[in-house]
Amino acid sequence: MAGDPYKELGVSKGASADEIKKAFRKLAKELHPDKNPGNREADERFKRVTAAFDLLGDAEKRAKYDRGEIDADGREQFRGFGGGGGGRAGGNPFGQQGRGGAGGFENIDLDELFGGMFGGGARPGGARGGFGGQGMTRGQDVKATLDISLEDAIAGTTRRIQFSDGRTLDVTIPKGAADGQTIRLRGQGAPGASGRSEAGDALITLKIAPHPVFTLSGADLTMDLPVPFVDAVLGGKVPVRTPEGTVNMTIPAGSNSGKVLRLKGRGAAVGGKRGDLLAKLMVMLPEGGDEALTKLAEDLRAKGRG
């Protein structure tokens, strides 16, 4: 990395650790490759900024750099050999520890630095490949929650989610999705160390929003079904709303409020199997009253059958 790491981050040499971290986080958001696709200049700047923070974000390496013991690339500076200030010939270009070794990029809290960029917490990834046999840090997994409707969970669909860094992803909701189910999008998490190792994944947790008509109970759906008084007494067919549309349900004669009727296979879908729709009857009297109905009720009460 050519240049002064302090200048790359835009901070003074007396900047605190928090100021350095804040400056890096701001620049990382602006220069992230996902926000600048195909922009080689931004990509190179992102790498330089990351390398600068790799140096200044480590207290021990920063102190060595300030004392002139290492250069901006982490190479040791030797003195007394012809007045030379160059790095060691051959060997590791990142110093004794290497970029992926102790005190290097692996010690940076990527969860803290990048978690806010992708709208959720992240968990540490494993080490893959790398320099000097030490391995490079895989990008962090990022997490987000996606609210979907009950109908979307049953039928399946595609929904777009936007992260706090401005990125958008299309998430395929499978048929029969369950509340709390997590969908993994490979390689859509935080970038790996210095943008060279494998990116993490995006973990999208589905949350089924409350429905104005149906209540989810396992794989079944429950609902209240208003039934006209006449159909409750004499029997008949009444329209019933289902997740796929309206169907007619047969109401047995003499049905009371609280009676539960079942529509097979009209519920939610859990594990690929549809549940049932359970309709709880609510017998409705005619609005405004009815003289004949009132007379009937009075006669029944007189006979002790009310």
Side-chain angles (χ1 to χ4, degrees), residues 226-233 238 282-285:
V227 177
F229 174 79
V230 173
D231 292 325
V233 174
V238 298
M282 299 175 62
V283 179
M284 310 297 291
L285 296 176

Side-chain angles (χ1 to χ4, degrees), residues 102-220:
F105 201 91
E106 287 183 333
N107 290 337
I108 298 174
D109 188 350
L110 289 179
D111 183 22
E112 179 181 353
L113 292 173
F114 287 104
M117 293 174 60
F118 298 97
R123 67 186 186 193
R128 307 281 181 86
F131 297 98
Q134 295 290 338
M136 289 192 65
T137 305
R138 175 183 179 271
Q140 301 282 306
D141 290 342
V142 297
K143 299 178 182 178
T145 300
L146 177 61
D147 290 331
I148 60 174
S149 69
L150 177 64
E151 288 82 357
D152 288 342
I154 293 173
T157 187
T158 299
R159 285 286 177 265
R160 179 162 293 182
I161 186 171
Q162 183 170 7
F163 292 98
S164 59
D165 67 337
R167 288 191 310 140
T168 59
L169 291 175
D170 289 331
V171 182
T172 299
I173 312 300
K175 290 184 178 180
D179 188 53
Q181 179 177 341
T182 297
I183 296 176
R184 180 181 293 269
L185 302 178
R186 299 285 183 183
Q188 297 298 329
S194 301
R196 290 192 292 269
S197 59
E198 180 183 359
D201 301 334
L203 306 177
I204 312 300
T205 299
L206 304 180
K207 182 179 180 182
I208 300 178
H211 198 279
V213 175
F214 308 114
T215 299
L216 187 62
S217 178
D220 294 331

Side-chain angles (χ1 to χ4, degrees), residues 223 225 227 232 249-262 278-283:
M223 66 176 294
L225 178 64
V227 177
M249 172 182 278
T250 299
I251 307 299
S255 294
N256 289 317
S257 287
K259 182 180 180 67
V260 176
L261 301 181
R262 183 183 298 267
L278 307 178
K280 181 180 179 181
L281 305 186
M282 299 175 62
V283 179

